[in-house]
Amino acid sequence: MPGGRKWKKLDAVERAEVIDGHRLAYVAEAPVNWCPGLGTVVANEEVTTDGRSDRGNFPVFQRDMRQWMMRITAYADRLIDDLDLLEWPESIKTMQRNWIGRSVGSRVFFETPAGEIEVFTTRADTFFGATFVVLAPEHPMVAALTTGPQAPGVVEYKREAASRKDTERTDETQAKSGVFTGSYALNPFTGKEIPIWVADYVLMGYGTGAITGVPCGDQRDFEFARNYGLDIVPIQQPPDEWFGARRTRPTLDTERWPEAFVGDAPYVNSNGRSLQLDGIATVAEGIAATNEWLEASGRGEATVTYRLRDWLFSRQRYWGEPFPIVFDADGVAHAVPDDMLPIELPETDQFSPRTFDPDDADSDPESPLDRLTDWVTVRLDIGDGKQEYRRETNVMPQWAGSCWYQLRYCDPDNDEAFIDPEVERFWVGPQITAHPDHPGGVDLYVGGVEHGVLHLLYARFWHKVLYDLGYLSSKEPYYRLYNQGYILAAAYMDARGMYVDAASVQRDGDGFTYDGSPVEREFGKMGKSLKNAVSPEEMYERYGADTLRLHLMATGPLDASRPWETRDVIGMYRFLQRLWRNVVDEDTGTSSVTDDPATEATRTQLHRTIAAVRDGYEHLRVNVAIAKLVELNNHLTKLGATPREVAEPFVLMVAPVVPHIAEELWRILGHDDTLTHEPFPVADADFLVDDVIELPVQVNGKVRARITVAADADDETVTSAALADEKVMATIDGATPRKVIVVPGRMVNVVV
RNA sequence: GCCCCGGUAGCCCAAUUGGCAGAGGCAACGGCCUCAAAAUCCGUACGGUGUGGGUUCGAGUCCCACCCGGGGCACCA
């Protein structure tokens, strides 16, 4: 409670503040990513590693602003732990684990002239070696700790750090820079005063923005200490092998250490008044002992920090879900009651947020809704009588809808609930009969890796919130995730390093030109930024949607990225035309299939195709399934007339990849109803095995002959048939076989 | 720098997981048809699997080192 007062003594505004401090959705004055080029703020996840917006590639600036946040950090542990329950690519799980960045450590308070500084460390065992404290340049206590003589240098350093781009700041190859504040902190372990520095290798966005420098046990601190002549006190006796690998004699004189020692080793110089680590030899024990001491002495405690920050949830745009929130005269937020929902976007013809010079960090957001003053001010009775309220004019980010659409799809017409619990259980409930730990979620979700820490993290958080609120039986939105590959295309860059329109590039001998000037080719994800997109509309127009879909499925494995070649599309177009002609009389447009029985050979091929296609679809090896269908189609072409007993299963098999044409063929074959509910063809096992097979015979690993044997012939029969073969006898030339290897159904190898 | 993928025919890709390197498509070439051409139909050729070593009767597949391409992360205390 503010000022330690009782709840009853707080006024309405203060009470709201207290509650909001615990809400999952809250408004906070917080450092946000302001993107003047887009005219809106964006979430951490939407900022690329070089500090630009993932959409539009504009510069992004850190500044404080009052914005809506979602307390996703409250779910950090579950978001990490439940990854183990999911059938997702390991790479995406790793991305999420890294993004959440859970690290188990300790927080410790250091006394300083300006009050206590809180530091975070994963190596609580090393405090006896802490010889300085480092604050991030943005740390709020920097000014208070800076003494007069040091002030100009500190101010200058902060200014420089602020102007350096993040990419420069985090460039590990540069020497670590920093500046002394003039103040000292008390190391509670050694009782010694240690200098407080400011350095930009410490990041405000992680932990507490303050660290203890332990140069003997941390490479960054080691480099920093060397740079500025700070003490390096050894607190572990590194093993001789460690020195050996670094061509140094074992010593506790850190002047002679080539780098910091990180690992298990006996502690030295680590005995204090009430905490003794000397004698312990492992980091785990050292940390455990220290944490115990911290908690007993009130100097700190074991804790966990995360790289993950709360989710910045408001955007200054028009197109987005409005917040069901109004503010009263005191500025307190109130939820709009259910019977007044939904809040709909007001009519306007001015949809764009105000955008600014992309580099103008000092501009302020102006949402399109802010301009609609008639809509912003409302008189409502939300429980306290009719009053005037001001509507929230921020809207939700584009991710809000994608967090739960798959749930709504299950029950789209329900106007009582966003999804009926029974419907939810049926479609996405946990399948505990299959797996006791099954978390539920859609069976298969095909999507791009680019959503690894955006949509896929937000949706999981959102889903867990709804689960906690009791609306869902599933704990996770997507059980199995499959990442499709990217369609790549040639992109061309001119001498200035700018991309040029790929469609207008000419081939010129070995190279390429654009507008007469040479350009360089590379391959990249198809899209606007590389100016190498091919419009799907153009493909629909030329070949139809079925052909395009089929082509994309046929050119390679679903998860493989591959270059786009427009001229290749014709192949699947021809396949579909040929399929059509195998079923339909081109003159009359009616069915041309025959009711005569298929030959043995045709039936065999049909059933083998069914088996292969089933297997291909099941394992998402669609390209292989399609190849088998093409093969069968080529066989049918040679027949002249297609038997109905082949045509019908064929149409059912192509339906998943060419739904429109398949449906049409199904009607032409005489069915009145859609094929959607027809069972998928099942292969007759009798056709899948041969009676007689041909086996290659190798002599010393080289194929020398072929023999024909019964499919179920035993090894002895096969061996004698192989050895009796003329070519084999000629090859071994009377020598005695040392060994004959028979791989049933595959081959024979005679070793001499 | 670290961590994932992936290198098979001119190109996109298969290869029953250690057993005959080739299913499918594009492109190329030849033929049928045509006055001619396109489309269709029929047919043909092409490489030994990025490089070097190893294991094995046998390696595209397994192991080691390296090269090339794509993606992710990168002072996280």
Side-chain angles (χ1 to χ4, degrees):
Chain A
M1 298 295 157
R5 289 176 294 151
K6 294 255 190 275
W7 178 251
K8 283 182 187 166
K9 305 264 178 172
L10 302 181
D11 64 31
V13 175
E14 288 170 322
R15 286 181 183 184
E17 276 170 5
V18 170
I19 293 174
D20 288 350
H22 296 276
R23 285 186 194 280
L24 288 175
Y26 64 98
V27 179
E29 179 83 25
V32 300
N33 307 297
W34 166 236
C35 182
L38 292 173
T40 183
V41 295
V42 294
N44 290 343
E45 289 81 3
E46 293 170 278
V47 181
T48 62
T49 39
D50 43 329
R52 302 178 81 90
S53 58
D54 73 329
R55 295 177 78 141
N57 200 31
F58 293 113
V60 170
F61 302 93
Q62 284 267 322
R63 58 179 282 191
D64 285 341
M65 225 180 256
R66 247 181 108 70
Q67 294 284 316
W68 283 94
M69 309 291 285
M70 284 282 191
R71 208 176 296 276
I72 191 172
T73 49
Y75 282 72
D77 277 326
R78 285 160 68 190
L79 288 171
I80 285 191
D81 294 341
D82 287 356
L83 284 172
D84 294 339
L85 307 177
L86 300 175
E87 228 181 86
W88 281 21
E90 211 42 53
S91 59
I92 298 279
K93 290 188 181 182
T94 306
M95 279 166 69
Q96 294 211 346
R97 287 192 190 105
N98 289 343
W99 187 262
I100 295 166
R102 173 161 65 190
S103 90
V104 177
S106 316
R107 90 172 107 203
V108 180
F109 296 97
F110 277 62
E111 281 168 36
T112 79
E116 285 188 329
I117 289 182
E118 183 185 344
V119 301
F120 174 77
T121 180
T122 55
R123 287 292 303 277
D125 58 312
T126 64
F127 277 113
F128 286 100
T131 52
F132 52 94
V133 168
V134 188
L135 305 181
E138 300 83 1
H139 196 283
M141 287 173 69
V142 169
L145 287 165
T146 303
T147 59
Q150 298 297 325
V154 171
V155 169
E156 171 63 14
Y157 186 79
K158 281 186 67 170
R159 203 190 53 76
E160 265 177 39
S163 68
R164 289 169 77 191
K165 293 210 175 83
D166 268 9
T167 40
E168 298 169 39
R169 230 181 113 160
T170 57
D171 181 358
E172 291 166 59
T173 60
Q174 291 195 348
K176 307 220 176 323
S177 68
V179 60
F180 179 43
T181 60
S183 296
Y184 292 83
L186 184 69
N187 182 335
F189 293 81
T190 60
K192 289 185 181 152
E193 300 253 293
I194 56 177
I196 303 171
W197 285 64
V198 174
D200 68 0
Y201 79 91
V202 175
L203 310 173
M204 194 59 224
Y206 186 78
T208 60
I211 62 153
T212 49
V214 183
C216 70
D218 182 286
Q219 186 57 25
R220 295 157 300 185
D221 297 343
F222 185 88
E223 287 170 27
F224 189 72
R226 276 276 164 89
N227 241 5
Y228 292 101
L230 298 163
D231 289 345
I232 303 177
V233 177
I235 50 154
Q236 283 173 292
Q237 171 66 60
D240 292 354
E241 306 83 68
W242 184 80
F243 288 103
R246 285 157 188 79
R247 300 175 179 280
T248 311
R249 284 175 191 284
T251 176
L252 278 176
D253 177 4
T254 55
E255 288 280 312
R256 304 223 299 270
W257 286 19
E259 60 187 29
F261 171 78
V262 182
D264 284 329
Y267 292 92
V268 295
N269 300 326
S270 296
N271 279 356
R273 282 189 304 270
S274 49
L275 172 66
Q276 285 87 37
L277 298 182
D278 290 358
I280 292 176
T282 67
V283 170
E285 288 173 90
I287 290 175
T290 308
N291 281 340
E292 231 170 84
W293 182 83
L294 282 171
E295 277 166 43
S297 67
R299 303 278 188 184
E301 61 184 342
T303 186
V304 180
T305 62
Y306 303 88
R307 203 191 85 114
L308 181 72
R309 304 283 95 184
D310 276 341
W311 178 15
L312 175 69
F313 199 68
S314 37
R315 298 290 182 279
Q316 293 73 43
R317 298 183 171 283
Y318 177 83
W319 294 114
E321 297 87 334
F323 286 78
I325 294 287
V326 291
F327 296 94
D328 64 23
D330 293 326
V332 174
H334 297 273
V336 176
D338 288 2
D339 61 358
M340 295 184 190
L341 298 181
I343 308 289
E344 290 183 353
L345 286 168
E347 294 282 331
T348 181
D349 53 4
Q350 301 283 315
F351 301 109
S352 300
R354 183 158 167 220
T355 57
F356 303 86
D357 179 331
D359 293 310
D360 182 4
D362 297 325
S363 47
D364 286 308
E366 182 188 300
S367 144
L369 298 183
D370 279 327
R371 296 192 287 255
L372 302 170
T373 45
D374 287 357
W375 180 78
V376 172
T377 308
V378 280
R379 283 188 69 78
L380 297 174
D381 183 353
I382 60 172
D384 286 327
K386 204 149 197 171
Q387 289 184 31
E388 189 168 285
Y389 293 94
R390 185 170 50 82
R391 287 191 192 277
E392 171 59 62
T393 56
N394 287 299
V395 295
M396 302 186 198
Q398 74 265 37
W399 313 108
S402 62
C403 279
W404 67 294
Y405 72 103
Q406 76 281 353
L407 295 170
R408 186 60 180 169
Y409 277 8
C410 297
D411 201 4
D413 298 321
N414 191 332
D415 52 15
E416 299 290 317
F418 70 92
I419 185 171
D420 180 88
E422 220 168 289
V423 172
E424 190 267 339
R425 268 196 301 278
F426 177 82
W427 288 108
V428 295
Q431 296 173 35
I432 45 172
T433 46
H435 283 289
D437 291 338
H438 196 289
V442 302
D443 299 313
L444 173 65
Y445 196 42
V446 179
V449 269
E450 69 273 22
H451 290 131
V453 292
L454 288 161
H455 164 56
L456 291 171
L457 191 60
Y458 299 145
R460 293 183 61 219
F461 160 62
W462 194 286
H463 199 96
K464 287 180 185 305
V465 171
L466 294 175
Y467 172 83
D468 288 351
L469 292 171
Y471 295 120
L472 305 176
S473 69
S474 49
K475 294 180 196 160
E476 285 282 340
Y478 315 114
Y479 178 64
R480 182 176 174 206
L481 175 68
Y482 193 91
N483 294 130
Q484 85 278 23
Y486 289 132
I487 300 300
L488 308 176
Y492 302 88
M493 197 184 266
D494 67 15
R496 298 167 304 159
M498 303 294 283
Y499 287 102
V500 300
D501 178 25
S504 315
V505 168
Q506 308 277 322
R507 183 165 213 121
D508 180 20
D510 287 342
F512 302 90
T513 60
Y514 174 79
D515 210 6
S517 314
V519 287
E520 292 288 323
R521 182 174 70 167
E522 61 184 81
F523 282 87
K525 188 176 157 187
M526 194 184 274
K528 259 187 271 178
S529 55
L530 300 185
K531 295 190 183 166
N532 62 350
V534 174
S535 94
E537 284 81 6
E538 193 190 320
M539 290 297 117
Y540 295 156
E541 228 162 85
R542 275 165 72 181
Y543 301 109
D546 276 338
T547 302
L548 177 60
R549 178 190 178 101
L550 182 63
H551 172 71
L552 289 171
M553 291 292 126
T555 48
L558 196 54
D559 60 351
S561 291
R562 49 193 180 275
W564 174 263
E565 275 292 355
T566 296
R567 65 177 187 184
D568 287 355
V569 180
I570 190 82
M572 287 301 112
Y573 189 58
R574 287 179 188 149
F575 162 67
L576 291 177
Q577 288 179 325
R578 197 184 289 199
L579 167 62
W580 187 269
R581 284 196 302 269
N582 282 336
V583 177
V584 181
D585 183 305
E586 286 196 281
D587 295 324
T588 64
T590 56
S591 164
S592 64
V593 300
T594 157
D595 287 322
D596 295 341
T599 63
E600 186 77 2
T602 299
R603 272 191 195 156
T604 300
Q605 182 149 5
L606 170 68
H607 286 278
R608 290 183 180 192
T609 303
I610 292 173
V613 170
R614 260 186 176 265
D615 184 70
Y617 283 165
E618 257 174 46
H619 296 97
L620 293 179
R621 291 154 45 80
V622 184
N623 55 322
V624 181
I626 292 170
K628 296 292 174 193
L629 289 165
V630 172
E631 216 176 330
L632 178 60
N633 195 44
N634 290 345
H635 174 81
L636 295 179
T637 303
K638 286 176 190 146
L639 292 182
T642 305
R644 175 173 291 275
E645 65 173 284
V646 179
E648 298 211 329
F650 197 114
V651 170
L652 293 174
M653 283 193 285
V654 293
V657 279
V658 287
H660 309 93
I661 286 175
E663 201 65 65
E664 205 159 331
L665 288 172
W666 191 245
R667 302 295 167 112
I668 291 173
L669 284 170
H671 302 276
D672 294 329
D673 249 347
T674 170
L675 55 69
T676 307
H677 304 294
E678 296 295 325
F680 201 83
V682 179
D684 182 339
D686 288 350
F687 291 100
L688 303 183
V689 289
D690 290 304
D691 298 337
V692 175
I693 53 173
E694 192 184 69
L695 290 184
V697 182
Q698 297 181 346
V699 177
N700 289 338
K702 285 193 169 178
V703 179
R704 299 293 185 184
R706 285 163 202 287
I707 54 170
T708 304
V709 296
D712 56 359
D714 58 25
D715 289 4
E716 281 170 36
T717 316
V718 174
T719 302
S720 45
L723 294 177
D725 184 89
E726 277 178 33
K727 286 182 194 155
V728 173
M729 287 201 290
T731 311
I732 63 179
D733 195 23
T736 314
R738 280 199 293 139
K739 201 175 182 185
V740 178
I741 295 147
V742 177
V743 185
R746 293 250 151 265
M747 47 122 14
V748 184
N749 190 7
V750 180
V751 186
V752 292

